[in-house]
Amino acid sequence: MCGIVGIVGKEPVAPLLVDALKRLEYRGYDSAGVATVDHGHMDRRRAEGKLINLEKRLKEEPLAGTIGIGHTRWATHGVPNEANAHPHFSGDVAIVHNGIIENFWELREELIADGYQFSSQTDTEVVAHLVSREIRNGAAPVEAAHNALKRLRGAFALAIMFRGDDNLIIGARNGPPLAVGHGDGEMYLGSDAIALAPFTDTITYLEDGDWAVVRRGEFAIYDMDGNPVHRAPQKSVGTAFLVDKGNHRHFMEKEIHEQPEVIAHTLSNYIDFSTMTIKPLKSKIDFSAINRLAISACGTAYYAGLISKYWFERFARLPVDIDIASEFRYREMPMAKGDAALFVSQSGETADTLASLRYCKNQGMTIGAIVNVRGSTIAREADAVFPTLAGPEIGVASTKAFTCQLSVLAALTLRAAEKRKTLSPEQVRVHVQALIEVPRIASQVLHLEDQITRVARELANVKHVLYLGRDTNFPLAMEGALKLKEISYIHAEGYAAGELKHGPIALIDENMPVIVIAPHDHIFEKTVSNMQEVAARGGKIILITDEKGARLSTVETMETIVLPDVPEFVAPIIYALPVQLLAYHTAVFMGTDVDQPRNLAKSVTVE
Ligand code: AGP
């Protein structure tokens, strides 16, 4: 996902813009650029690849000026090269953009017919030319920007700057987030609070359809009809500090190791330790009154939701309909008014998940959001927010957010079971106790890292890996495959162990390691049968189990990773850790960009 920053400042802004862009690196990008206005002169520097290349350009050819805009680009239209990097210029206009202009092709044709020449393959450039044409036709910058914005369809967060005015940046938002930062005599625009944290912790998020006129020390927000609107400023708590890696090689490594702490922190928000119960949820979702729960999310967040389907149905006897958001949003699933829907999202900005939320809201459903970013769009549009308290997750591959999402979903399951009287208070207490033990056990599991690293060294030599699991370990098998493929680029698939004989077993040979996630639970023996099927065909098995599972598994394995015994209810949270460590260390051996894997973004705010 692209990153945007703008500063209407009092001191040279070029280095400040780059600093802010560095805080947006976690979003994933493939080129970057900045532009400034200085005494009527507007200029830019852009570079392909990492920000260090842009810094080199600025060292060679510095940019003066106390007003500027900057951008990290995650390519959607046009290859990642300097010509397609933002800011884009047209006449007296400079622009940076996050999102997709859906009607850009018709606008491009119109502008070409009007004599405009395009120097890039991007959709963004049409916006620069639209604004520039408005100015050519006599509009003042603010009016020109407003007129151009009304022509756009699609998703956009924009910052627009003008050669003739070194005290004006226009911001606009329709989809991807954009916030105004309030400084001391300076004003800022940024994609999120993390980008603005070096300058201010007081921010005002724009809503969809808002556009803002930002000048030194003042700003105004309008709707697309030009009516002034008020948006409340807020403190961006928790992002004021500069997120760094500490003594870890990667943010992902740091975030894996933070899990015992952040899971405990998250659980403390939901568990009443004095009564060993789940705290009453100040939420509009009444689990005793709903007949069905819809859940939608993407990627890792979806796998967390899928695990919770087993929990809600088993312990709360609550039927769950779950789907990946990119399908859910177009499926037109029939919903009953008054039913509830839960949306799981680390960033709270994923476009498909947000669209699914809005679909359910339009169906009159009560909306719950499990998010890691409180001020996010999904959080703000939900009726009930159930925060994960994982802290900023910088690594593109989601780890601590995932186990915190599971922790929240487990707490909601127990709350639902209590309200629906499908578990006795004693049974709830037992399950709450199991949750309370998770952080301690998770710490123990991290001590297995050396053994897991040795296994990872083997995995780094293979081309394909199969993950197998049953019940709540099936979604975890898919999550393990996602983790491995997204950071090591090794092809991996997660499968229900029982499905092996329906096709995937054809893949099994000595070159196909099979990672089996199988604590000794109520269906362990069934999984052992699947392992025998694999072994009989020369497949190499890496078994992740507990002491009893290791003892009772009658199958020879390439490696057996033995975890502490845990109650079946919380096993998915604990078994996520070896799965994450395996992917992480394999990627380290592969030498890939672990925190910012190729082609990926931390939050996908476009379709
Ligand atoms: C997870 O490792 C991936 N980076 C990705 O699948 C992610 O989980 C997905 O894009 C959803 O993001 P969200 O949680 O911010 O909505």
Side-chain angles (χ1 to χ4, degrees), residues 298-301 344-348 350 396-398 482-483 486 602 604:
C298 299
T300 291
V344 188
S345 176
Q346 189 287 129
S347 63
T350 300
V396 165
S398 188
L482 174 63
K483 284 276 108 30
E486 69 173 330
K602 180 60 183 170
V604 185

Side-chain angles (χ1 to χ4, degrees), residues 148-171:
L149 291 172
K150 288 187 283 191
R151 296 290 312 277
L152 304 182
R153 280 204 320 276
F156 52 84
L158 296 164
I160 310 170
M161 191 171 65
F162 304 83
R163 188 192 311 277
D165 190 337
D166 69 357
N167 186 23
L168 171 65
I169 295 180
I170 301 283

Side-chain angles (χ1 to χ4, degrees), residues 313-327:
E313 293 185 344
R314 181 167 291 146
F315 300 111
R317 312 310 297 161
L318 176 60
V320 171
D321 271 315
I322 181 167
D323 205 343
I324 47 177
S326 53
E327 290 299 310

Side-chain angles (χ1 to χ4, degrees), residues 18 36 72 166 202 209 218 340 354 358 374 420 437 454 456 504:
V18 175
T36 64
T72 49
D166 69 357
T202 306
E218 62 180 63
L354 179 58
R358 288 172 174 168
R374 291 236 184 169
R420 298 167 66 86
E437 289 296 297
R454 287 197 300 276

Side-chain angles (χ1 to χ4, degrees), residues 208-443:
D208 283 357
D210 288 356
W211 59 287
V213 176
V214 179
R215 300 181 191 280
R216 269 178 205 87
E218 62 180 63
F219 78 107
I221 301 177
Y222 304 92
D223 65 19
M224 218 33 90
D225 295 329
N227 306 309
V229 293
H230 174 69
R231 301 295 180 219
Q234 54 185 280
K235 285 292 181 193
S236 57
V237 176
T239 50
F241 58 90
L242 186 63
V243 183
D244 63 28
K245 289 184 277 215
N247 60 350
H248 294 282
R249 289 166 292 183
H250 302 100
F251 280 110
M252 184 178 177
E253 183 183 42
K254 171 175 175 265
E255 289 154 6
I256 289 173
H257 285 267
E258 282 176 341
Q259 290 181 104
E261 178 194 356
V262 297
I263 291 171
H265 190 45
T266 297
L267 286 171
S268 67
N269 194 42
Y270 295 91
I271 291 175
D272 180 336
F273 291 91
S274 62
T275 59
M276 295 293 277
T277 57
I278 301 299
K279 293 176 184 172
L281 302 169
K282 297 183 286 299
S283 99
K284 293 182 184 165
I285 296 183
D286 177 357
F287 284 109
S288 61
I290 61 175
N291 300 314
R292 196 173 62 151
L293 177 67
I295 299 179
S296 189
C298 299
T300 291
Y302 166 69
Y303 297 134
L306 202 49
I307 288 170
S308 77
K309 171 182 170 68
Y310 289 84
W311 288 340
F312 279 114
E313 293 185 344
R314 181 167 291 146
F315 300 111
R317 312 310 297 161
L318 176 60
V320 171
D321 271 315
I322 181 167
D323 205 343
I324 47 177
S326 53
E327 290 299 310
F328 187 102
R329 65 182 290 184
Y330 294 115
R331 252 181 58 196
E332 296 172 6
M333 190 193 286
M335 300 285 178
K337 219 173 166 56
D339 274 349
L342 269 183
F343 299 89
V344 188
S345 176
Q346 189 287 129
S347 63
E349 300 298 347
T350 300
D352 288 325
T353 309
L354 179 58
S356 301
L357 180 154
R358 288 172 174 168
Y359 171 79
C360 289
K361 200 160 192 174
N362 291 338
Q363 302 293 311
M365 297 176 73
T366 309
I367 306 298
I370 297 172
V371 294
N372 199 39
V373 180
R374 291 236 184 169
S376 60
T377 307
I378 287 176
R380 285 186 282 117
E381 298 198 9
D383 300 311
V385 179
F386 306 108
T388 52
L389 304 178
E393 186 177 71
I394 307 301
V396 165
S398 188
T399 51
K400 61 177 183 173
F402 176 64
T403 49
C404 288
Q405 287 160 358
L406 288 176
S407 301
V408 173
L409 287 161
L412 294 181
T413 298
L414 296 180
R415 184 67 183 164
E418 191 175 357
K419 296 281 283 180
R420 298 167 66 86
K421 302 191 183 339
T422 51
L423 286 183
S424 68
E426 177 52 24
Q427 286 172 317
V428 170
R429 200 197 60 74
V430 167
H431 286 91
V432 168
Q433 180 61 43
L435 274 178
I436 289 172
E437 289 296 297
V438 164
R440 176 182 63 77
I441 298 171
S443 294

